[in-house]
């Protein structure tokens, strides 16, 4: 837990990490802009994404993963807020594929760091374990997002597009993106340390 807080408080190292912090600042600035232009749902969506974008910094992931996650997260949430998914019907396919895959990788790294799950790379079949675990996390996150859309449509804004076929398609593409994220997990993991420290022996 101490390493997580130190990751949040540490200074940015190099242009990649500085760029990641700039993206996080942009996300914060977007919160009131979304509220002014698109109402409370825009505020909630941008606030949620802004909080999620802090996780790569906490986990001290590679700058490429940090920047990819932050950029895709901002594009994805603004696509939702501005109804781009409705006007360009195919646009949600690459967004769910990429966003779910990156979010699943971040979630796995976080849970391993918190010692809530085993490090897939230390299991007997690391590649298969990484794919299975990351896909499971990705599907779980996809379900949470679809529930959020359902909640938004029923209790915040009835104009939110929710459709059975669209929901199933989002889950499928999100799962495929997460499986790819699992294959790439060894490359995307932090450079400075393994996913989880080896257990101490007496």
């Amino acid at each position: 837990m101490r390493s997580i807080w130190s990751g949040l408080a540490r200074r940015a190292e190099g242009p990649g990490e500085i760029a990641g912090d700039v993206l996080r600042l942009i996300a914060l600035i977007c919160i009131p802009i979304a509220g002014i232009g698109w109402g409370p749902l825009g505020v909630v969506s941008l606030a949620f994404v802004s909080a999620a974008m802090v996780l790569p910094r906490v986990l001290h992931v590679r700058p490429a993963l940090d920047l990819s996650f932050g950029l895709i997260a901002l594009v994805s949430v603004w696509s939702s807020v501005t109804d781009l998914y409705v006007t360009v019907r195919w646009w949600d396919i690459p967004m769910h594929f990429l966003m779910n895959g990156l979010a699943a990788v971040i979630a796995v790294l976080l849970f391993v760091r918190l010692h809530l799950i085993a490090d897939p790379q230390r299991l007997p079949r690391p590649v298969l374990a990484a794919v299975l675990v990351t896909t499971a996390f990705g599907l779980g996150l996809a379900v949470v997002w679809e529930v959020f859309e359902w909640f938004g449509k029923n209790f915040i804004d009835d104009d939110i597009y929710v459709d059975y076929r669209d929901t199933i398609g989002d889950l499928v593409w999100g799962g495929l993106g997460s499986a790819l994220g699992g294959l790439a997990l060894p490359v995307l993991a932090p450079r400075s340390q393994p996913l989880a420290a080896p257990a101490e022996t007496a």
Side-chain angles (χ1 to χ4, degrees), residues 79-101:
S79 297
S80 177
V81 170
T82 60
D83 290 329
L84 185 60
Y85 292 136
V86 177
T87 56
V88 183
R89 295 299 298 271
W90 57 266
W91 182 242
D92 66 332
I93 293 176
M95 286 295 99
H96 279 282
F97 182 84
L98 294 172
M99 190 68 250
N100 253 130

Side-chain angles (χ1 to χ4, degrees), residues 93-105 131 134-135 138-139 169-184 188:
I93 293 176
M95 286 295 99
H96 279 282
F97 182 84
L98 294 172
M99 190 68 250
N100 253 130
L102 293 169
V105 169
V131 171
T134 310
T135 301
L139 288 173
D170 291 347
L171 294 176
V172 170
W173 286 109
L176 291 174
S178 301
L180 181 60
L183 285 173
L188 298 175

Side-chain angles (χ1 to χ4, degrees), residues 2-26:
R2 183 179 301 174
S3 64
I4 289 179
W5 290 115
S6 64
L8 181 62
R10 65 181 173 80
R11 295 181 61 181
E13 302 173 358
E17 292 192 353
I18 293 174
D21 285 346
V22 170
L23 271 181
R24 280 179 274 275
L25 178 60
I26 292 173

Side-chain angles (χ1 to χ4, degrees), residues 33 41 75 83 117 147 165 196:
I33 295 175
L41 183 61
V75 172
D83 290 329
I117 63 172
V147 170
R165 289 178 298 178

Side-chain angles (χ1 to χ4, degrees), residues 66-154:
D66 186 11
L67 291 171
S68 299
F69 178 79
L71 183 60
I72 295 299
L74 282 176
V75 172
S76 179
V77 72
W78 274 114
S79 297
S80 177
V81 170
T82 60
D83 290 329
L84 185 60
Y85 292 136
V86 177
T87 56
V88 183
R89 295 299 298 271
W90 57 266
W91 182 242
D92 66 332
I93 293 176
M95 286 295 99
H96 279 282
F97 182 84
L98 294 172
M99 190 68 250
N100 253 130
L102 293 169
V105 169
I106 294 295
V108 170
L109 294 175
L110 175 63
F111 274 63
V112 170
R113 182 70 64 83
L114 294 173
H115 302 286
L116 296 175
I117 63 172
D119 180 349
Q121 294 188 101
R122 297 179 181 278
L123 297 178
R125 297 181 179 178
V127 175
L128 179 60
V131 171
L132 290 176
V133 171
T134 310
T135 301
F137 269 82
L139 288 173
L141 291 171
V143 170
V144 170
W145 181 256
E146 296 303 323
V147 170
F148 173 73
E149 287 188 341
W150 168 85
F151 180 85
K153 179 177 179 62
N154 285 276

